Amino acid sequence: MSEQSKSSQAPDRRPHVVIAGAGIAGVQTAVALREQGWRGAITLLGDEPHQPYDRPPLSKAVLLGKAEGSTFDVDFEGLGIALHLSRPVTALRPDAHVIETADGPLSYDYAVLATGADPIVLPGSEGLPGVHLLRTLDDAERLRPVLAAQHEIVVVGAGWIGAEFATAAREAGCAVTVVEAADRPLAGALPAEVAAHMTGWYADAGAELRINARVASVTAGAVTLADGTTLPADAVVVGIGARPATAWLAGSGVEVSPQDGSVLADEQLRTSVADVYAVGDCASFPSARYGSRLLIHHWDNALQGPRTVGENIARGDAQGVAYDPVPYFWSEQFGRFVQYAGHHGDADELVWRGDPAGAAWSVIWLREGRLVALLAVGRPRDLAQGRKLIERGVAMDRERAANAAVPLKAAAL
């Protein structure tokens, strides 16, 4: 046997990173490792059969048939990343440094948990024909003909995903009714005085919004509310939130929040067990900037966190770098571009910039005079300037900040 043949059959002794999850957090972790100089093996495990893809277009271009998909432009083979599709993870055994999968175990030197979040299912709707979630490419493909047929659709939940789907459905010509159990849209994200000004967006777009409306039951062709109202529905789309996909970690020793199910990562995105990191929608982390633990189910967090994980694994020292971002997300709904940066609490002072009845306005939140968060509707310059001010922890002149004609950066003290 030639030396080359012997070499090709020799086991790979390089240190090995196994990444559980091939969404944006998993893919970006693999890429970041190479960018940080990691020369060991990298295995990326995805539970779907599709090439890894981006999720934001699913509720927009893909859903409306304007794009066939949103595959990441990553040369996995060229980067030396072993991509395994249709290989869901089933268990983690840190004592043996093994991840169990549907196709057998994989040994790791470092493991990265990037399994994302699963949509919350409306009780009693599981398996019913005509009831849809919108989380995966297959979900979007199943919904595309529903929109094309201009059906009568009931959307359960007036959060970000509900609003974005309702926007797409109205653009497709569907009759849309959105039912929300809370007293306003975006109840989990924004205070009542802000969300109140978004309520009218639905009617302006020709969609009906029913608040304080709880679903009692879903049957073929109809949704019945708790007050007895029956809404005709050719299709029902459920958007009532998501929960970290961490059930597979039971018995692993990885500490998980009993409240929200997130992996309790530390400031360097390490889990409670050695050599295992967590990133993206499945993980929460302590923020020194905000003095609280954050669980962020948004695209930018799944993009930024992997850079910290990649650097910390590639460095391999005890110091590491901390992850403490200014959270950011955006949403396109009812002809408006909505952006948010930072993190606010109920006790923070709310300051308006502009008329919320108009097409463009912002809201900022101050904590002890310092800018901590900002919501911008059609004011991207406010967002760009505000994000930098939040990163720097800048104190603000409240009166100047409340003047929409004054650039936000000019209100900094």
Side-chain angles (χ1 to χ4, degrees), residues 56-114:
L58 297 185
S59 61
K60 306 173 186 71
V62 175
L63 194 60
L64 291 170
K66 297 178 180 179
E68 290 304 314
S70 49
T71 303
F72 291 121
D73 185 17
V74 175
D75 182 1
F76 294 102
E77 185 176 357
L79 290 172
I81 298 166
L83 175 61
H84 295 250
L85 303 176
S86 299
R87 192 172 183 180
V89 293
T90 57
L92 176 73
R93 294 196 287 118
D95 53 338
H97 271 56
V98 163
I99 285 183
E100 299 284 356
T101 79
D103 294 327
L106 278 172
S107 297
Y108 66 83
D109 293 281
Y110 295 98
V112 180
L113 314 181

Side-chain angles (χ1 to χ4, degrees), residues 17 37 42 62 132 146 215 257 304 357 375-376 379 387 390 403:
V17 177
I42 301 174
V62 175
H132 301 264
V146 174
V215 174
S257 167
Q304 304 294 341
L375 173 78
R379 289 180 67 98
R387 194 175 183 182
I390 295 169
N403 185 346

Side-chain angles (χ1 to χ4, degrees), residues 149-167:
Q150 299 186 333
H151 280 310
E152 197 162 11
I153 298 175
V154 172
V155 180
V156 182
W160 299 112
I161 192 66
E164 290 185 0
F165 177 81
T167 299

Side-chain angles (χ1 to χ4, degrees), residues 15 33 41 45-47 55 96 113 126 132 138 141 167 207 239 249 255 271 312 335 358 365 404:
L33 282 163
L45 304 173
D47 58 359
R55 293 189 188 278
L113 314 181
E126 299 96 329
H132 301 264
D138 287 339
E141 294 290 354
T167 299
L249 296 170
E255 191 175 357
T271 72
N312 285 339
W365 284 268

